[in-house]
Amino acid sequence: MTSSMRVEILGSGGATPAPRPGCHCQVCVDARVLGGKHARTGPSTFVHGPNIVFDTPEDARLQLDRAGIDEIAACFYSHWHPDHTMGRRVWETRNADFRTWPPEARRQPVTDVHLPQQVAEDMRTYLGAWDHLAFMESRGWIRVHVVPDGEAVRVGRVEVRPFRVAEDYVYAFELSGDGLRLLVAPDELNGWSPPEAVRGCDLAVLPMGICEHHPLTGERRIHPEHPILRLEATFAETLELVDALAAERVVLTHIEEIDGLTVDDLAVLEERLRGEGRPVTFAWDGLQVDIRAEPRRIQ
């Protein structure tokens, strides 16, 4: 029997999705006029099979509905930043039953929400996130679980292991089961060196990183003294991670509108990277990637 998982990029944008209100750059014009692959919503990934969603940006409700996703076994949050968490009200809009009476007759779904240790601590501090989650838990729409560092969570046949990256308030996730290994690293990979345990995985989902230079022309896009270059991984640094990971396939997402890369630009860049032996796909909203573990032959 061949085991498989399907990974779907619900939202391929970053902190600046496309179109951006009030912006008339080519990326935003294409997003408004052409839609489809040209338009990007906030960062979120769904793994079919175990039915796990990673992060809920502002667009989470629309993303899940657009993808036709009915069953959600669990949600994991990678960090507290608003572009990854501010759509958390999706658990109310999805799970709440405001009509049935008496209350004991309700059969509303309940979603398990997993917060790695530092994410739980940060959510107590920022954006009122913890209070909001506690409110939804009190109404029976979610169950909140804090995952201590070093522990893993089993969802169906898959084990999910959160671990801190170099920016230690942010977590990446290793999923393993049925002979498959998947890495989902939603954001903030500045200064990170992948541990041996996650190298050689079947698929890695990574943020693209910001473009200090235009990746096709070499033109400088960010002033060399801009503080963002100390805080964020660049696209060049992401490619170093791609090489170090040596994954069978790589999906680059969290693509920022401010980098000014059109869909056509990314297609040219993707072809160039593949010609260099890098198995990279630039994500779009709705991209689906199947990974399979072929059965071993019995000698």
Side-chain angles (χ1 to χ4, degrees):
M1 178 180 180
T2 302
S3 58
S4 65
M5 283 190 281
R6 173 171 294 173
V7 177
E8 182 168 359
I9 304 300
L10 299 180
S12 61
T16 56
R20 188 157 57 99
C23 182
H24 300 281
C25 73
Q26 191 61 53
V27 171
C28 289
V29 170
D30 288 350
R32 291 190 192 99
V33 175
L34 302 175
K37 293 182 179 180
H38 301 268
R40 301 185 187 278
T41 55
S44 183
T45 298
F46 189 81
V47 181
H48 296 267
N51 295 337
I52 301 169
V53 64
F54 293 93
D55 294 339
T56 57
E58 298 99 315
D59 319 281
R61 178 180 64 84
L62 298 176
Q63 291 174 342
L64 291 166
D65 184 67
R66 178 178 60 189
I69 293 170
D70 296 325
E71 300 296 326
I72 302 175
C75 171
F76 287 79
Y77 283 102
S78 62
H79 61 305
W80 67 269
H81 283 176
D83 54 326
H84 291 257
T85 62
M86 290 299 282
R88 58 184 178 267
R89 189 173 171 268
V90 67
W91 307 125
E92 176 180 352
T93 57
R94 180 181 185 276
N95 295 349
D97 180 351
F98 296 106
R99 181 178 294 275
T100 302
W101 194 263
E104 56 269 21
R106 293 175 181 163
R107 294 293 183 267
Q108 62 188 24
V110 183
T111 302
D112 287 303
V113 172
H114 298 276
L115 308 177
Q117 181 177 314
Q118 188 62 48
V119 179
E121 293 181 20
D122 289 341
M123 283 189 167
R124 288 180 169 92
T125 303
Y126 300 109
L127 305 177
W130 183 265
D131 287 343
H132 190 191
L133 292 174
F135 166 76
M136 290 189 286
E137 185 173 45
S138 73
R139 295 298 189 271
W141 304 327
I142 62 174
R143 288 182 291 263
V144 177
H145 309 272
V146 177
V147 186
D149 285 352
E151 294 191 7
V153 176
R154 181 159 289 278
V155 181
R157 297 163 64 94
V158 171
E159 184 177 83
V160 183
R161 182 176 67 89
F163 61 93
R164 300 190 194 220
V165 295
E167 302 282 355
D168 69 355
Y169 67 96
V170 183
Y171 289 75
F173 305 88
E174 180 188 25
L175 286 72
S176 57
D178 289 338
L180 293 168
R181 288 195 304 130
L182 166 65
L183 172 66
V184 178
D187 199 5
E188 305 294 347
L189 297 188
N190 187 35
W192 181 58
S193 178
E196 191 63 35
V198 299
R199 300 187 185 201
C201 56
D202 296 287
L203 175 67
V205 179
L206 308 175
M208 177 181 175
I210 60 172
C211 292
E212 181 180 7
H213 301 88
H214 193 290
L216 295 178
T217 68
E219 172 196 3
R220 176 168 283 281
R221 300 299 306 271
I222 300 175
H223 192 284
E225 297 178 6
H226 197 299
I228 198 171
L229 294 177
R230 298 193 301 271
L231 301 173
E232 299 285 344
T234 65
F235 176 60
E237 291 167 334
T238 298
L239 292 184
E240 293 177 3
L241 289 177
V242 169
D243 294 339
L245 277 166
E248 290 293 322
R249 301 180 70 178
V250 176
V251 170
L252 296 183
T253 185
H254 211 286
I255 298 168
E256 299 287 0
E257 175 271 342
I258 56 175
D259 281 327
L261 296 173
T262 66
V263 168
D264 290 341
D265 290 335
L266 292 172
V268 173
L269 182 56
E270 183 178 294
E271 184 177 1
R272 178 182 297 180
L273 293 174
R274 291 183 178 182
E276 296 168 352
R278 292 174 167 130
V280 166
T281 299
F282 287 98
W284 62 85
D285 286 21
L287 169 69
Q288 298 185 27
V289 179
D290 290 314
I291 55 175
R292 301 180 182 276
E294 297 299 330
R296 296 180 179 177
R297 294 182 180 179
I298 300 176
Q299 300 296 326

PDB file of all heavy atoms in Angstrom, residues 24-43:
ATOM      1  N   HIS A  24      -0.817  50.541  -6.631  1.00  0.00           N
ATOM      2  CA  HIS A  24      -1.047  50.356  -8.060  1.00  0.00           C
ATOM      3  C   HIS A  24       0.210  49.874  -8.771  1.00  0.00           C
ATOM      4  O   HIS A  24       0.394  50.139  -9.967  1.00  0.00           O
ATOM      5  CB  HIS A  24      -1.560  51.659  -8.677  1.00  0.00           C
ATOM      6  CG  HIS A  24      -2.852  52.115  -8.072  1.00  0.00           C
ATOM      7  ND1 HIS A  24      -4.061  51.561  -8.415  1.00  0.00           N
ATOM      8  CD2 HIS A  24      -3.101  53.035  -7.107  1.00  0.00           C
ATOM      9  CE1 HIS A  24      -5.024  52.141  -7.703  1.00  0.00           C
ATOM     10  NE2 HIS A  24      -4.474  53.027  -6.897  1.00  0.00           N
ATOM     11  N   CYS A  25       1.063  49.135  -8.045  1.00  0.00           N
ATOM     12  CA  CYS A  25       2.212  48.503  -8.688  1.00  0.00           C
ATOM     13  C   CYS A  25       1.724  47.377  -9.595  1.00  0.00           C
ATOM     14  O   CYS A  25       0.553  46.981  -9.556  1.00  0.00           O
ATOM     15  CB  CYS A  25       3.189  47.959  -7.636  1.00  0.00           C
ATOM     16  SG  CYS A  25       2.598  46.482  -6.776  1.00  0.00           S
ATOM     17  N   GLN A  26       2.613  46.842 -10.420  1.00  0.00           N
ATOM     18  CA  GLN A  26       2.219  45.812 -11.373  1.00  0.00           C
ATOM     19  C   GLN A  26       1.690  44.563 -10.675  1.00  0.00           C
ATOM     20  O   GLN A  26       0.731  43.935 -11.149  1.00  0.00           O
ATOM     21  CB  GLN A  26       3.409  45.426 -12.267  1.00  0.00           C
ATOM     22  CG  GLN A  26       3.018  44.550 -13.453  1.00  0.00           C
ATOM     23  CD  GLN A  26       2.038  45.254 -14.387  1.00  0.00           C
ATOM     24  OE1 GLN A  26       2.294  46.358 -14.836  1.00  0.00           O
ATOM     25  NE2 GLN A  26       0.901  44.624 -14.650  1.00  0.00           N
ATOM     26  N   VAL A  27       2.292  44.207  -9.533  1.00  0.00           N
ATOM     27  CA  VAL A  27       1.835  43.023  -8.806  1.00  0.00           C
ATOM     28  C   VAL A  27       0.393  43.201  -8.354  1.00  0.00           C
ATOM     29  O   VAL A  27      -0.445  42.294  -8.506  1.00  0.00           O
ATOM     30  CB  VAL A  27       2.759  42.738  -7.601  1.00  0.00           C
ATOM     31  CG1 VAL A  27       2.168  41.641  -6.714  1.00  0.00           C
ATOM     32  CG2 VAL A  27       4.148  42.334  -8.081  1.00  0.00           C
ATOM     33  N   CYS A  28       0.066  44.363  -7.822  1.00  0.00           N
ATOM     34  CA  CYS A  28      -1.284  44.597  -7.316  1.00  0.00           C
ATOM     35  C   CYS A  28      -2.297  44.760  -8.442  1.00  0.00           C
ATOM     36  O   CYS A  28      -3.442  44.300  -8.341  1.00  0.00           O
ATOM     37  CB  CYS A  28      -1.294  45.817  -6.394  1.00  0.00           C
ATOM     38  SG  CYS A  28      -0.457  45.511  -4.815  1.00  0.00           S
ATOM     39  N   VAL A  29      -1.885  45.398  -9.537  1.00  0.00           N
ATOM     40  CA  VAL A  29      -2.780  45.527 -10.694  1.00  0.00           C
ATOM     41  C   VAL A  29      -3.110  44.146 -11.250  1.00  0.00           C
ATOM     42  O   VAL A  29      -4.273  43.821 -11.538  1.00  0.00           O
ATOM     43  CB  VAL A  29      -2.145  46.431 -11.767  1.00  0.00           C
ATOM     44  CG1 VAL A  29      -2.946  46.358 -13.064  1.00  0.00           C
ATOM     45  CG2 VAL A  29      -2.074  47.872 -11.274  1.00  0.00           C
ATOM     46  N   ASP A  30      -2.085  43.295 -11.405  1.00  0.00           N
ATOM     47  CA  ASP A  30      -2.321  41.929 -11.891  1.00  0.00           C
ATOM     48  C   ASP A  30      -3.263  41.177 -10.958  1.00  0.00           C
ATOM     49  O   ASP A  30      -4.143  40.431 -11.410  1.00  0.00           O
ATOM     50  CB  ASP A  30      -0.996  41.169 -11.999  1.00  0.00           C
ATOM     51  CG  ASP A  30      -0.139  41.637 -13.154  1.00  0.00           C
ATOM     52  OD1 ASP A  30      -0.628  42.417 -13.992  1.00  0.00           O
ATOM     53  OD2 ASP A  30       1.037  41.211 -13.215  1.00  0.00           O
ATOM     54  N   ALA A  31      -3.060  41.365  -9.652  1.00  0.00           N
ATOM     55  CA  ALA A  31      -3.895  40.658  -8.686  1.00  0.00           C
ATOM     56  C   ALA A  31      -5.354  41.079  -8.814  1.00  0.00           C
ATOM     57  O   ALA A  31      -6.264  40.238  -8.751  1.00  0.00           O
ATOM     58  CB  ALA A  31      -3.382  40.912  -7.275  1.00  0.00           C
ATOM     59  N   ARG A  32      -5.587  42.381  -9.019  1.00  0.00           N
ATOM     60  CA  ARG A  32      -6.977  42.859  -9.130  1.00  0.00           C
ATOM     61  C   ARG A  32      -7.610  42.461 -10.458  1.00  0.00           C
ATOM     62  O   ARG A  32      -8.783  42.054 -10.510  1.00  0.00           O
ATOM     63  CB  ARG A  32      -7.016  44.383  -9.016  1.00  0.00           C
ATOM     64  CG  ARG A  32      -6.686  44.908  -7.646  1.00  0.00           C
ATOM     65  CD  ARG A  32      -6.971  46.400  -7.525  1.00  0.00           C
ATOM     66  NE  ARG A  32      -6.375  46.898  -6.290  1.00  0.00           N
ATOM     67  CZ  ARG A  32      -5.210  47.526  -6.225  1.00  0.00           C
ATOM     68  NH1 ARG A  32      -4.534  47.780  -7.339  1.00  0.00           N
ATOM     69  NH2 ARG A  32      -4.735  47.929  -5.065  1.00  0.00           N
ATOM     70  N   VAL A  33      -6.857  42.588 -11.533  1.00  0.00           N
ATOM     71  CA  VAL A  33      -7.430  42.390 -12.869  1.00  0.00           C
ATOM     72  C   VAL A  33      -7.481  40.910 -13.250  1.00  0.00           C
ATOM     73  O   VAL A  33      -8.478  40.431 -13.797  1.00  0.00           O
ATOM     74  CB  VAL A  33      -6.623  43.192 -13.911  1.00  0.00           C
ATOM     75  CG1 VAL A  33      -7.113  42.901 -15.317  1.00  0.00           C
ATOM     76  CG2 VAL A  33      -6.708  44.683 -13.612  1.00  0.00           C
ATOM     77  N   LEU A  34      -6.400  40.198 -12.969  1.00  0.00           N
ATOM     78  CA  LEU A  34      -6.286  38.809 -13.421  1.00  0.00           C
ATOM     79  C   LEU A  34      -6.707  37.795 -12.367  1.00  0.00           C
ATOM     80  O   LEU A  34      -7.173  36.703 -12.708  1.00  0.00           O
ATOM     81  CB  LEU A  34      -4.839  38.525 -13.854  1.00  0.00           C
ATOM     82  CG  LEU A  34      -4.299  39.420 -14.973  1.00  0.00           C
ATOM     83  CD1 LEU A  34      -2.823  39.109 -15.227  1.00  0.00           C
ATOM     84  CD2 LEU A  34      -5.114  39.239 -16.242  1.00  0.00           C
ATOM     85  N   GLY A  35      -6.522  38.137 -11.086  1.00  0.00           N
ATOM     86  CA  GLY A  35      -6.889  37.206 -10.017  1.00  0.00           C
ATOM     87  C   GLY A  35      -6.097  35.915 -10.113  1.00  0.00           C
ATOM     88  O   GLY A  35      -4.965  35.878 -10.570  1.00  0.00           O
ATOM     89  N   GLY A  36      -6.727  34.807  -9.710  1.00  0.00           N
ATOM     90  CA  GLY A  36      -6.080  33.500  -9.809  1.00  0.00           C
ATOM     91  C   GLY A  36      -4.743  33.468  -9.101  1.00  0.00           C
ATOM     92  O   GLY A  36      -4.607  33.913  -7.958  1.00  0.00           O
ATOM     93  N   LYS A  37      -3.718  32.965  -9.796  1.00  0.00           N
ATOM     94  CA  LYS A  37      -2.383  32.845  -9.204  1.00  0.00           C
ATOM     95  C   LYS A  37      -1.758  34.193  -8.870  1.00  0.00           C
ATOM     96  O   LYS A  37      -0.788  34.259  -8.118  1.00  0.00           O
ATOM     97  CB  LYS A  37      -1.452  32.090 -10.150  1.00  0.00           C
ATOM     98  CG  LYS A  37      -1.798  30.629 -10.366  1.00  0.00           C
ATOM     99  CD  LYS A  37      -0.782  29.970 -11.280  1.00  0.00           C
ATOM    100  CE  LYS A  37      -1.091  28.504 -11.489  1.00  0.00           C
ATOM    101  NZ  LYS A  37      -0.088  27.855 -12.376  1.00  0.00           N
ATOM    102  N   HIS A  38      -2.296  35.254  -9.436  1.00  0.00           N
ATOM    103  CA  HIS A  38      -1.701  36.579  -9.245  1.00  0.00           C
ATOM    104  C   HIS A  38      -2.101  37.192  -7.904  1.00  0.00           C
ATOM    105  O   HIS A  38      -1.421  38.105  -7.425  1.00  0.00           O
ATOM    106  CB  HIS A  38      -2.122  37.512 -10.381  1.00  0.00           C
ATOM    107  CG  HIS A  38      -1.722  37.022 -11.730  1.00  0.00           C
ATOM    108  ND1 HIS A  38      -0.536  37.383 -12.333  1.00  0.00           N
ATOM    109  CD2 HIS A  38      -2.344  36.170 -12.601  1.00  0.00           C
ATOM    110  CE1 HIS A  38      -0.448  36.785 -13.521  1.00  0.00           C
ATOM    111  NE2 HIS A  38      -1.529  36.056 -13.699  1.00  0.00           N
ATOM    112  N   ALA A  39      -3.192  36.741  -7.316  1.00  0.00           N
ATOM    113  CA  ALA A  39      -3.684  37.294  -6.051  1.00  0.00           C
ATOM    114  C   ALA A  39      -3.248  36.384  -4.897  1.00  0.00           C
ATOM    115  O   ALA A  39      -3.343  35.158  -4.991  1.00  0.00           O
ATOM    116  CB  ALA A  39      -5.206  37.415  -6.076  1.00  0.00           C
ATOM    117  N   ARG A  40      -2.756  36.996  -3.832  1.00  0.00           N
ATOM    118  CA  ARG A  40      -2.240  36.217  -2.704  1.00  0.00           C
ATOM    119  C   ARG A  40      -2.905  36.661  -1.403  1.00  0.00           C
ATOM    120  O   ARG A  40      -2.957  37.862  -1.104  1.00  0.00           O
ATOM    121  CB  ARG A  40      -0.721  36.385  -2.571  1.00  0.00           C
ATOM    122  CG  ARG A  40       0.045  35.957  -3.807  1.00  0.00           C
ATOM    123  CD  ARG A  40       1.553  36.030  -3.592  1.00  0.00           C
ATOM    124  NE  ARG A  40       2.268  35.785  -4.837  1.00  0.00           N
ATOM    125  CZ  ARG A  40       2.525  34.570  -5.336  1.00  0.00           C
ATOM    126  NH1 ARG A  40       2.109  33.497  -4.668  1.00  0.00           N
ATOM    127  NH2 ARG A  40       3.170  34.432  -6.480  1.00  0.00           N
ATOM    128  N   THR A  41      -3.375  35.681  -0.637  1.00  0.00           N
ATOM    129  CA  THR A  41      -3.876  35.955   0.706  1.00  0.00           C
ATOM    130  C   THR A  41      -2.800  35.555   1.717  1.00  0.00           C
ATOM    131  O   THR A  41      -1.728  35.071   1.362  1.00  0.00           O
ATOM    132  CB  THR A  41      -5.181  35.199   0.959  1.00  0.00           C
ATOM    133  OG1 THR A  41      -4.983  33.795   0.714  1.00  0.00           O
ATOM    134  CG2 THR A  41      -6.288  35.708   0.039  1.00  0.00           C
ATOM    135  N   GLY A  42      -3.094  35.786   3.007  1.00  0.00           N
ATOM    136  CA  GLY A  42      -2.105  35.620   4.059  1.00  0.00           C
ATOM    137  C   GLY A  42      -1.623  34.198   4.254  1.00  0.00           C
ATOM    138  O   GLY A  42      -2.222  33.234   3.765  1.00  0.00           O
ATOM    139  N   PRO A  43      -0.517  34.015   4.985  1.00  0.00           N
ATOM    140  CA  PRO A  43       0.194  32.743   5.043  1.00  0.00           C
ATOM    141  C   PRO A  43      -0.531  31.650   5.829  1.00  0.00           C
ATOM    142  O   PRO A  43      -0.776  31.788   7.025  1.00  0.00           O
ATOM    143  CB  PRO A  43       1.527  33.116   5.722  1.00  0.00           C
ATOM    144  CG  PRO A  43       1.215  34.346   6.515  1.00  0.00           C
ATOM    145  CD  PRO A  43       0.179  35.078   5.742  1.00  0.00           C
TER     146      PRO A  43
END
